[in-house]
Each structure stands twice: as C-alpha cells, then as structure tokens.
Amino acid sequence: MLNEFSYDVGQWDLSRFRERPPQDTFTVFDLEWHLLPDVWPGNAVATKLFTSWLPYEEVDSFLEVGCGAGVTAVIAAMRGCSRVCALDINPAAAETAELNATRHGVGDKVTTLTSDLFSGLDEGTTFDLIYWNSPFVEAPVEHDYRSQIDYAAFDSDYKMHGAFFAGLEQHMSETTRVFLGFSETLGNPQRLHELAARSGFTASVYRREEIALPADYSGPRNGDGSGLTSLVYVLYEFRRTAPAA
C-alpha cells in the first residue's frame, strides 16, 4: 500500500529544491563540487551517510547506479577503486559526475554514462561492488515526472526497484557485493524485500542510523497533526539466495 504521508514529504522536499536559489557548487567531505542545473546536490544526509559507510578498500571495481552529482563514485576512486562507473538516467547528472571526477583528479578512473539503470552498460560487464542510493519514496502509478530531478526522489509503483534486482545478475561475478541505500521511514521496506526475493536476492542490514530532524521542521504532517521527528537510513547488502522466480 502506498504511504501517502511519505509521498507528501517527498513532494515537499522536491518543491524546496525547485525553489532554492540557483547554485553551481556545493561542499561535502571538505571538498567543493560542481553542480549543474536539475541535479540534486550531493551533500544530502543520506548521501553523506552511505558514502562514508561503503567498503571501498575491499574491492577494485565499483558501479554506482543513479550517481547524481557523482560524490560516491568519485570518493570510491579516491579511496582506491581503480575502475569506477557512474550511471544516471539524468544526462545533467552524468555530466556533473564527469566534471567532478576531473575536478578531484580521478577522471582517468571514473567513466560516466547516461543510463536507465543498467541500460548503458555492455552486457556481461561485471563489478566487484554495485551500489544504488535508490529513490526510495514510492510514488503512485500516475505520478507525473515533471523533470529529470524527479527520478532522484520518486519511484512510481517501485518499478525501478524491481528492474534493478532483475538486471543485477548480468553484471555480477561470483564475488560481487550489492549495496542499496534506503530510508525505512520514507521508503517501503516490505515492498523492497518482496521485489528482491522475486529476483532471488535477500537483504541484511550492513549499517543503520536514525537522524533527528531539526526542531523547526515545517514539512507535511500526519492526519493527527503529528510530524516527522527523525529519519531512519539503512544501507542494505543483498545476496543471491536462489534463481529468479
């Protein structure tokens, strides 16, 4: 069942993004980054958490799906991954990631592609680690994607999540690790796990953290007048358990 409250929060957050003054840079991890129009800044709480949690040192090749401004992909290259690929359905995001890879001296390690999930990859190209900070707010089937930035926030009927799990196998070796960044507060974890199981994957919690919202939070409230006080973010690791159903 669609969580209408989470959908309202997502719409509110996106409206704040659209109303903010134009910016062409942002700062995160004590570094300054390029930002093109219609690309979500990479200094969001979720991005900072997941990027700091991933085990880059244990892998050599790294794939980021939905790279946005490219922060995680660039950090992966800076932390020792010699082959990094950053994908995004938004052409401006892929371009921003390329600019940031060059800006931070890892342009020779990072390949950026405009890609609807795995569509831009050659079949059979595998990676040691595949990661997606997914658009965990479930949107109704009739959701109107007004611009490319909507794809960073919403997944209509969780179709992208289903396609992600269905497409993983062709880019995995026997030792590939799969991670997905998610919010258990604003996402639909039950649906996520159902879709993963349908493609033969099961999840374990790699790391979880609850973040308190500012006292002046002014976003949507539940029908009883209560509002959000915190958000729970979780980095799941998915493993193959059975052939896809």
Side-chain angles (χ1 to χ4, degrees), residues 206-243:
Y206 186 77
R207 190 160 173 181
R208 177 190 280 122
E209 189 162 334
E210 183 173 3
I211 303 295
L213 289 174
D216 61 354
Y217 166 76
S218 59
R221 295 186 173 276
N222 279 306
D224 61 2
S226 63
L228 286 173
T229 58
S230 64
L231 294 174
V232 176
Y233 293 105
V234 59
L235 184 63
Y236 289 117
E237 182 169 8
F238 285 89
R239 292 182 171 86
R240 286 175 290 202
T241 56

Side-chain angles (χ1 to χ4, degrees), residues 46-54 131 133 181-182 233-235:
T47 302
K48 289 188 286 187
L49 287 175
F50 301 146
T51 301
S52 66
W53 292 346
L54 287 162
Y131 163 70
N133 178 0
F182 199 75
Y233 293 105
V234 59
L235 184 63

Side-chain angles (χ1 to χ4, degrees), residues 19-74:
E19 293 166 3
R20 67 172 172 75
Q23 63 182 101
D24 55 14
T25 62
F26 64 93
T27 301
V28 69
F29 297 122
D30 296 322
L31 297 169
E32 191 171 31
W33 304 74
H34 292 292
L35 184 69
L36 296 180
D38 209 27
V39 178
W40 201 281
N43 56 1
V45 171
T47 302
K48 289 188 286 187
L49 287 175
F50 301 146
T51 301
S52 66
W53 292 346
L54 287 162
Y56 310 104
E57 293 82 1
E58 300 174 17
V59 300
D60 184 56
S61 57
F62 182 95
L63 173 65
E64 181 178 15
V65 179
C67 65
V71 169
T72 308
V74 169

Side-chain angles (χ1 to χ4, degrees), residues 114-130:
T114 300
S115 178
D116 183 357
L117 295 176
F118 306 109
S119 66
L121 293 175
D122 291 335
E123 187 174 350
T125 303
T126 62
F127 298 86
D128 298 329
L129 192 154
I130 298 173

Side-chain angles (χ1 to χ4, degrees), residues 88 97 127-128 137 202 212:
D88 204 289
F127 298 86
D128 298 329
V137 176
T202 188

